[in-house]
Amino acid sequence: MKKTIFLFILVTLMINSCNSQEKKYSELKFVYSDLVEALKSKDDNVLKNFCYKIAPDQTTIEYMTKNNLCYRGIPCQLNSRNMNIKSIGDVFYPAFLEFRNRLDNDKLLEKLEHVDSTIYKFDTDTITIYIDKKSKNPISEFEYTTLRMQHKNIHDYVEVKKYGIKGTEMDVVLKSGNKIINYHIGEMIFINNKWNLFTKPSDGYNFIDQ
């Protein structure tokens, strides 16, 4: 009986954990509150883990692969080059680290907080997907351009599809004391119920006049 109860609790915790993680970045406010928390921790490992969380994760990669989606070289170039998924977060990390160090040097890090007053205006980004007709796999825009130079009738070799996905070039409003800070985090795209960062973030910031 005790064993059965223990297993039930364990399964329940696992389900709740999965649901919590799934909902974690379904809203941008959670992304930005985690960003502030990671910056203020002054812990390089915490900041690097945030980079991995905000980048497309394994579930998103699998979803994109299954639906033949490829955006900014993700995941098609990752797959073709046999690159680790963590390499995306590794690209983001130096910029976030420099941003944190600048805030710290300017005595803005200790009182940093996210101002959740941004009116988000999302565009429907048109993502163009190139499918190799022979392998049925997506290829990058660079590979498509190369094939286009090699073949006169490119559509005999490559199928071109267009998808509309919600996303935006996102600026984050932060506050430290009486200073209002604008930070350009990059291009956020909503895929598979999760906001993902697809471009390298800025390593600097500017002040907003009050």
Side-chain angles (χ1 to χ4, degrees):
M1 179 66 178
K2 289 183 179 180
K3 185 176 180 180
T4 302
I5 294 173
F6 172 76
L7 287 173
F8 174 76
I9 294 173
L10 180 62
V11 171
T12 302
L13 287 173
M14 289 174 65
I15 292 172
N16 289 338
S17 175
C18 290
N19 289 339
S20 175
Q21 183 65 31
E22 183 180 296
K23 294 178 182 177
K24 186 66 175 175
Y25 287 162
S26 60
E27 295 183 54
L28 284 168
K29 64 181 180 181
F30 298 129
V31 176
Y32 301 145
S33 61
D34 274 11
L35 169 63
V36 170
E37 185 178 320
L39 292 169
K40 292 178 72 173
S41 73
K42 294 187 179 181
D43 186 320
D44 292 352
N45 288 326
V46 172
L47 186 60
K48 184 166 282 190
N49 284 333
F50 171 78
C51 295
Y52 294 146
K53 286 167 65 179
I54 198 174
D57 58 15
Q58 187 60 43
T59 303
T60 302
I61 295 296
E62 289 173 359
Y63 176 86
M64 293 181 72
T65 301
K66 181 180 178 181
N67 291 278
N68 284 330
L69 295 175
C70 182
Y71 189 62
R72 302 289 189 189
I74 300 171
C76 50
Q77 289 186 9
L78 285 178
N79 296 336
S80 64
R81 298 176 185 177
N82 199 27
M83 296 172 64
N84 191 297
I85 190 174
K86 284 192 172 183
S87 62
I88 307 172
D90 291 336
V91 171
F92 298 160
Y93 175 68
F96 280 124
L97 180 62
E98 178 62 21
F99 175 50
R100 186 196 70 188
N101 291 340
R102 289 186 180 186
L103 289 171
D104 196 22
N105 291 337
D106 293 342
K107 311 299 181 185
L108 297 170
L109 193 57
E110 184 177 346
K111 295 182 178 180
L112 191 70
E113 57 184 297
H114 171 229
V115 180
D116 191 23
S117 60
T118 307
I119 299 174
Y120 302 115
K121 295 181 179 179
F122 303 117
D123 300 319
T124 300
D125 284 5
T126 300
I127 299 179
T128 304
I129 311 299
Y130 306 100
I131 309 294
D132 183 289
K133 288 189 174 182
K134 184 176 181 180
S135 66
K136 305 298 182 183
N137 293 324
I139 60 175
S140 67
E141 186 174 358
F142 175 78
E143 291 171 311
Y144 170 75
T145 303
T146 303
L147 287 171
R148 192 175 174 182
M149 294 170 63
Q150 296 173 349
H151 304 286
K152 185 177 180 179
N153 298 319
I154 184 62
H155 295 293
D156 291 340
Y157 300 89
V158 180
E159 180 182 3
V160 180
K161 294 184 177 181
K162 294 183 182 294
Y163 294 87
I165 291 180
K166 184 169 71 173
T168 185
E169 284 282 351
M170 183 59 67
D171 287 350
V172 186
V173 180
L174 305 169
K175 180 181 179 182
S176 182
N178 62 353
K179 300 286 188 181
I180 304 298
I181 300 164
N182 184 77
Y183 174 63
H184 185 71
I185 196 169
E187 189 173 13
M188 300 291 294
I189 303 293
F190 192 72
I191 297 178
N192 197 29
N193 200 38
K194 175 182 179 287
W195 282 102
N196 304 270
L197 181 62
F198 274 82
T199 58
K200 187 177 177 181
S202 173
D203 59 10
Y205 61 87
N206 53 65
F207 292 113
I208 299 175
D209 295 331
Q210 301 182 57

